[in-house]
Amino acid sequence: MKQEMSSVDIKYIVEELKTLEGARVDKIYQDKNRVRIKLHTTGEGRNDLIIEAGKRIHLTTYIKEAPQHPSSFTMLLRKYLSGSRVEKIEQHDFDRIVKLKIGNYTLIAELFQKGNIILVDENNVIISAMRYEEFKDRTIKPQHVYLLPPARENPVDILWENFRELISSQDVEIVRALARKLNMGGLYAEEILLRAGIEKTKRANALDENELKVIFEKIKEVFNAPKKANIIYKNDNPIDVVPIELKWYESYKKKFFTTFSEALDEYFGKILLESAKIERTKKLQNKKRQLEATLRKQEEMINGFKNQIQENQEIGDLIYTNFAFIENLLKELSKAVEKLGWKEFKERVENGKKSGNKIAQIIKNIDAKEKAVTIELDGKKVKLYLNKSVGENAEIYYEKAKKAKHKLEGAQKAHKETLKKIKEIEKLIEEEEKKELSVRKLEKRKKKWFEKFRWFLSSEGFLIIAGKDATTNEIVVKRYMSENDLYCHADIYGAPHVVIKDGKKAGEKTLFEACQFAVSMSRAWKEGLYSGDAYWTDPNQVTKKAPSGEYLGKGAFMVYGKRNWMHGLPVKLAVGIVQYEEEKLPMCGPVEAVKAHTDKYIIIRPGRMKKSEFAKKLAKILERCGYKVDLDELMQILPPGNSEIVEVIE
């Protein structure tokens, strides 16, 4: 089963991850050797990039609960990278190294061997690393210049002459030469030779020029193959995940994905889920195993005590059953020992066995020290003490049976207690398994086109959209405003551009709500104002043409001509779940607009609670109303700045 990404995998994933260039670093988390970077991409919203040292890098929807106390490395990464934008993502040569240029710093993901994650400054000097190490040719420690491992040939860019010279000089199997010298790994070396129709065990230096040319062509074919990400299954178990379709896996079951990130996330995410399940109950499972081992020993002891009771009871009964015989035997043997002494007695018994004496033959052992003989009686060995009566000999076995019975009762009691403890542990395991995993999968629904902006549905059913920043403000006006719409703007610097779609058909209520939305989604909210002014106008009056001698930056527009003003608009909104095209969406808009589309909503206004904490509070209230809302979706729709709840309508 695949455990880490290859250089080929990294080539393909880096091509995909380039879409993250321009994204803003929101938050950084670390769990053991995994770093997750929460990014915000304009127009898309949240993306989570996972980097697992020595293993993988891709976008993920499997989110592991962050530790309560962030590590010093996490805090340092947050300090240097939070709020900065991802400027460049690249693979170093064809190695398992990815560089992420973020602001003035570079985060280096080493995905080979044990791996590492290293932060360097603009001069390539190490600021910090997940793990400090020293090698023969480089040192990973603060204040040291970061040195890359020695580079190897890149199979994507290698020229024919260099390829021929390199491979022809290798006195090893061709599959090994390709895997090692061209840094492509065993799987892709096998794939290339399979496509080339050349035996993989053939010596590299024994190949003729035509064979080398075929291999060279197949290298270019494989590494320029169209992306067709898929997970490979064997007996319904995933064994590999690859960015292209391979001939090597032709007969295997496959599942295809739109992006390589999705395939990697599905593959490694399931591994993470399984490890989270094991980790969650690991201590309890270990305790259960210990108790089960104790239980087995107790069961062995119980069976042993039962056998002792039965055996000793049977021998005691056997002695009484053969009372007369044993009584006479004890008398005769006692006389013989008294007359001959133990040494000569033993000799006589041995001679008697040879001569076929029946009494001598039933004697199996003589113990002079204990003054006892062991005889065989009805297939059982019975030890008889010559200085004790028949009853006293029988009582010895009955006493042994009693002691074994007492021990049995103790063992059975301990066994019962162990069983009880196992059941308690099993109950705890069951309860733990019912709890939410520390790893959860973000179910990212396909968003509506307007959800990349601020938006709401007016009480009359008109769609109103607004920009979130300079980029989306530019897009709202240039791309999404048409001649049938209406334009709104608040009388405050930095307010969003608001567009009422098909607004020329809208009534007074929609115009009022759109203008109120423009004020509430402006800096007025952040500054804690309770009212503001806004206006609406025709789209033809909105232009990028600046007055003479002036320049309009990104997201800025000029409005010429008559403005239809509305004064003293309340800075107040509501949050609720509304139905739109058979889908339930979280919406933040003017109170009357939200009220028109749902009977459960929360009225909010500027306050003191931080936006992140406020979103959590709203999520709990909505969940109580029967709606499970993603926290990030709530964060996206809320106004800028701190808030407070005015009223909850349930």
Side-chain angles (χ1 to χ4, degrees), residues 69 80 85 183 188 267-268 310 328 422 578 588 590:
H69 305 289
Y80 284 93
R85 294 199 178 268
N183 197 23
Y188 289 93
Y267 182 86
F268 286 108
Q310 186 179 347
N328 289 331
I422 289 172
V578 302
C588 180

Side-chain angles (χ1 to χ4, degrees), residues 282-295:
K282 191 176 179 181
K283 287 181 181 178
L284 291 171
Q285 292 286 7
N286 286 341
K287 182 67 177 173
K288 185 186 172 184
R289 280 192 285 273
Q290 290 170 6
L291 288 168
E292 284 173 338
T294 302
L295 193 74

Side-chain angles (χ1 to χ4, degrees), residues 489-620:
H489 197 266
D491 188 24
I492 186 168
Y493 179 77
H497 298 301
V498 178
V499 172
I500 307 171
K501 296 303 294 172
D502 216 14
K504 288 183 178 175
K505 296 178 184 177
E508 286 296 321
K509 286 183 76 175
T510 296
L511 293 174
F512 180 87
E513 288 164 5
C515 287
Q516 188 200 344
F517 189 68
V519 170
S520 296
M521 286 297 181
S522 74
R523 206 169 61 186
W525 193 283
K526 191 180 283 187
E527 292 180 359
L529 303 178
Y530 284 91
S531 66
D533 303 333
Y535 63 87
W536 61 269
T537 189
D538 193 277
N540 296 327
Q541 296 173 235
V542 184
T543 178
K544 199 74 179 171
K545 187 178 178 182
S548 180
E550 291 184 29
Y551 168 76
L552 295 177
K554 189 177 184 181
F557 291 86
M558 286 298 297
V559 179
Y560 295 98
K562 183 188 174 185
R563 304 181 188 191
N564 302 284
W565 285 95
M566 290 191 179
H567 301 286
L569 298 166
V571 180
K572 186 164 67 172
L573 296 169
V575 176
I577 306 298
V578 302
Q579 188 88 9
Y580 184 84
E581 293 180 349
E582 298 180 357
E583 194 172 354
K584 292 186 184 299
L585 308 177
M587 185 177 93
C588 180
V591 178
E592 290 303 313
V594 176
K595 184 180 177 180
H597 296 284
T598 179
D599 55 358
K600 294 178 182 179
Y601 53 95
I602 306 151
I603 300 172
I604 64 173
R605 68 183 175 195
R608 295 183 178 180
M609 189 176 286
K610 279 179 67 177
K611 190 174 179 179
S612 56
E613 292 304 311
F614 190 66
K616 288 177 186 175
K617 189 172 183 178
L618 290 183
K620 285 179 182 176

Side-chain angles (χ1 to χ4, degrees), residues 110 116-121 124-135 138-147:
E110 294 188 345
N116 209 336
I117 298 173
I118 304 135
L119 181 69
V120 301
D121 64 16
N124 210 35
V125 174
I126 297 169
I127 297 170
S128 187
M130 181 180 279
R131 184 172 51 254
Y132 297 145
E133 297 176 298
E134 280 194 50
F135 302 96
R138 64 194 194 114
T139 299
I140 308 297
K141 284 184 179 178
Q143 304 305 314
H144 286 73
V145 173
Y146 175 76
L147 298 175

